[in-house]
Amino acid sequence: MDNRFTSSFGDGGGYVCADDSITAEVDGFVVTARLEYDPDSSPREYDADGCCFDTSDPDHGEESAAIIAAWDNDEWHYFGVVLSVAKEGVELDDHAASLWGIEGNFPRKDGGLDNSYFTETANELLDEALDSAKAVLARLIAA
């Protein structure tokens, strides 16, 4: 599948916020991908022996503790990418496809930000969202 979302969240991979959105038009459907905070994910879930934020790890524990502290300070968040689909101005599905638990504004060692994977995720979910909207449209036409 080719990438049909051509714009990026966070101005080309920069800082992202909840409710940021991008739009694509595909076969007469307008698909909007938006970011929502994921209240159910936390780096503390992964602060255990052998997990990715293991603060007891002798080699990486200090770095993991700093990452968790940054999360506690609202410097980065977990988000969901949620796609909605409309046709001719009528919203067919507000939650046609989604993926949750994605790290946004994650603190990188070089101090930069790379949130480009949100757009990649939106493109990966696009076909699922379109299929959902087409099913809704078919039910409406049949009614």
Side-chain angles (χ1 to χ4, degrees):
M1 174 192 66
D2 59 319
N3 293 340
R4 293 174 266 184
F5 285 100
T6 56
S7 57
S8 298
F9 289 102
D11 298 323
Y15 194 85
V16 295
C17 298
D19 297 325
D20 283 356
S21 64
I22 55 175
T23 303
E25 188 168 337
V26 180
D27 300 330
F29 292 92
V30 176
V31 184
T32 301
R34 68 184 181 277
L35 300 183
E36 293 185 10
Y37 283 119
D38 184 347
D40 298 322
S41 295
S42 164
R44 295 188 189 294
E45 295 173 44
Y46 308 105
D47 182 7
D49 288 344
C51 288
C52 58
F53 296 124
D54 179 0
T55 55
S56 66
D57 181 300
D59 296 323
H60 303 285
E62 190 173 306
E63 178 183 355
S64 293
I67 289 169
I68 291 172
W71 184 80
D72 286 339
N73 290 330
D74 284 334
E75 295 172 25
W76 68 279
H77 301 89
Y78 286 99
F79 293 93
V81 176
V82 181
L83 275 63
S84 59
V85 184
K87 185 157 182 88
E88 295 187 23
V90 177
E91 186 172 71
L92 298 172
D93 197 338
D94 180 53
H95 197 119
S98 64
L99 183 66
W100 296 86
I102 304 172
E103 299 161 343
N105 307 318
F106 190 79
R108 291 178 19 176
K109 288 180 184 179
D110 66 4
L113 288 175
D114 182 7
N115 289 309
S116 61
Y117 46 85
F118 286 114
T119 303
E120 294 169 18
T121 299
N123 276 307
E124 290 170 4
L125 293 170
L126 190 55
D127 287 334
E128 179 182 342
L130 288 169
D131 288 346
S132 177
K134 289 173 185 175
V136 169
L137 187 58
R139 285 192 305 272
L140 290 171
I141 291 170

